[in-house]
Amino acid sequence: MSEQKTKYDIIIIGAGPAGYTAGIYSSRARHNTLLISGILPGGQLMNTTDVENYPGFDEGIMGPDLMIIMRKQAEKMGTKIIDDEVVSVDFKSKPLKVSTASSTFEANSVIVCTGANPRKIGLDGEQAFAGKGVSYCATCDGAFFKNQELIVVGGGDSAMEEATFLTKFASTVHIVHRRDEFRASKIMQERALSNEKIKVHFNCTVEDIQGDQKFQKVILKNVKNGEKITLEAGGLFVAIGHEPNSKILEGQVELDENGYVVLKNNTETGVPGVFCAGDVHDHRYRQAVTAAGFGCMAAIDADKYLAEQK
Ligand code: NAP
């Protein structure tokens, strides 16, 4: 068995649009680059069907296909990719250390691109119809539901924003929230509530998500009186927050109160040589194209850092 190389110029953690783009730029800058993909390479786009808003694909492209192309492009440029999970990092050591269950790798620079996952309601139907009417991104999928009734679950700013955005396409948007008041900022609430296409169902939890080949309806329960309500719709948008994949970064780089990486200057984390790109720091845009853009920026920042170390 050939011995595995363990020292690299740059290690990238994560294989979404940010990670693969960082790989492309890092390898083209002639840095010896290792990308450790995580257990589900490709990130959130692996759970998406048609992607119509990634520039360069005028006919749209399936999310997994886009990620396969990005991976091939990174490999073609020279990025070595290992499909394994990073279980710990040591950014206090020099060189920096990144460990999987079986190996420890060293690098002079690390780019963290571990992404985020939308919080799930946790029902079987949610998983069964994900990408078949159940979505976690109105910007990505709203245009597929022209003139249909849609449901948004959640009571925060994301839910208000998604619901308001979806009124561009939908005939009616139902916001389902588990309490009798929204968590969202007043201005976002006002914007949503003043929209005549939006109907609100307070005090309702989603008990079941049903369909046949694709999503058809939700069963709601009114938590005040126990009444069950069936709501049929073309699509269900779950907007109950996101969870950044930053567990391995605890105590290593600064995280905010929600677990997102705090950037100091461009893509710098504040730890020399450690950069960050994509949804693990970006809770505002959360788009494949912005993640890819951040991946590019982080690789350029890492390149400059390495040049300055020489
Ligand atoms: P959030 O503020 O955490 O709100 C999540 C919402 O989902 C809450 O209303 C919560 O209900 C509900 N929820 C959570 N778990 C649930 C579950 N299992 N079942 C049903 N409902 C559940 O998340 P967010 O709206 O994504 O916002 C995240 C951050 O980004 C916030 O700081 C927000 O201000 C910011 N943001 C800003 C903008 C903007 O300014 N344009 C847009 C989007 C997001 P409860 O209220 O009952 O807990």
Side-chain angles (χ1 to χ4, degrees):
M1 208 168 79
S2 69
E3 200 179 314
Q4 179 151 262
K5 182 177 156 46
T6 56
K7 178 83 199 287
Y8 291 84
D9 297 329
I10 297 181
I11 294 178
I12 297 161
I13 311 175
Y20 286 142
T21 306
I24 292 164
Y25 274 77
S26 169
S27 297
R28 288 195 81 242
R30 294 287 173 261
H31 293 300
N32 212 325
T33 305
L34 172 69
L35 185 153
I36 307 178
S37 71
I39 29 179
L40 293 172
Q44 294 178 61
L45 280 188
M46 299 307 279
N47 300 322
T48 312
T49 52
D50 301 86
V51 178
E52 287 186 331
N53 56 7
Y54 198 89
F57 299 93
D58 61 341
E59 300 290 331
I61 181 165
M62 300 299 273
D65 292 345
L66 179 59
M67 298 322 296
I68 288 166
I69 294 171
M70 282 194 200
R71 181 179 174 116
K72 275 193 196 152
Q73 195 175 351
E75 284 179 318
K76 193 171 160 191
M77 295 303 152
T79 305
K80 178 175 170 54
I81 299 180
I82 295 178
D83 290 322
D84 202 349
E85 187 182 16
V86 172
V87 294
S88 67
V89 295
D90 182 356
F91 294 159
K92 294 183 174 90
S93 72
K94 283 277 172 281
L96 305 158
K97 289 193 173 62
V98 176
S99 299
T100 64
S102 58
S103 308
T104 293
F105 301 93
E106 294 181 338
N108 295 323
S109 179
V110 171
I111 304 176
V112 176
C113 309
T114 46
N117 288 318
R119 197 172 286 140
K120 308 279 190 314
I121 302 172
L123 295 167
D124 290 345
E126 184 183 15
Q127 201 178 346
F129 300 114
K132 298 173 190 158
V134 174
S135 169
Y136 297 88
C137 177
T139 314
C140 316
D141 298 331
F144 299 122
F145 296 97
K146 290 202 177 79
N147 301 319
Q148 299 186 42
E149 294 211 17
L150 295 175
I151 300 166
V152 173
V153 182
D157 281 339
S158 292
M160 300 304 118
E161 195 170 65
E162 304 265 270
T164 305
F165 177 79
L166 288 170
T167 60
K168 288 174 194 272
F169 315 100
S171 54
T172 304
V173 178
H174 301 267
I175 299 179
V176 173
H177 182 42
R178 62 187 179 183
R179 291 191 294 129
D180 60 0
E181 61 176 355
F182 288 132
R183 175 184 297 275
S185 56
K186 284 282 173 290
I187 188 163
M188 304 279 279
Q189 291 191 37
E190 281 163 17
R191 203 170 291 151
L193 294 172
S194 65
N195 191 314
E196 57 189 24
K197 281 190 177 180
I198 291 180
K199 288 191 180 146
V200 179
H201 304 260
F202 280 123
N203 296 313
C204 284
T205 53
V206 181
E207 295 290 295
D208 202 6
I209 297 171
Q210 300 178 355
D212 187 2
Q213 300 296 334
K214 54 186 183 126
F215 164 77
Q216 288 171 334
K217 59 187 166 191
V218 293
I219 312 297
L220 305 181
K221 182 179 166 191
N222 184 314
V223 294
K224 294 276 181 206
N225 59 21
E227 189 192 346
K228 294 269 174 88
I229 306 156
T230 300
L231 212 52
E232 291 189 16
L236 173 70
F237 287 79
V238 181
I240 59 174
H242 283 73
E243 284 166 2
N245 297 319
S246 58
K247 194 102 192 94
I248 55 164
L249 304 173
E250 285 172 8
Q252 300 287 334
V253 299
E254 187 183 339
L255 305 176
D256 71 11
E257 67 278 12
N258 296 313
Y260 287 92
V261 174
V262 177
L263 295 189
K264 305 292 177 182
N265 185 22
N266 301 316
T267 64
E268 293 171 16
T269 61
V271 178
V274 180
F275 301 87
C276 178
D279 288 13
V280 70
H281 76 78
D282 169 31
H283 45 76
R284 180 176 171 84
Y285 300 106
R286 294 193 194 112
Q287 300 301 300
V289 67
T290 49
F294 278 119
C296 156
M297 289 156 61
I300 291 173
D301 289 343
D303 177 49
K304 288 214 164 75
Y305 169 81
L306 292 175
E308 285 162 11
Q309 301 306 303
K310 282 191 179 146

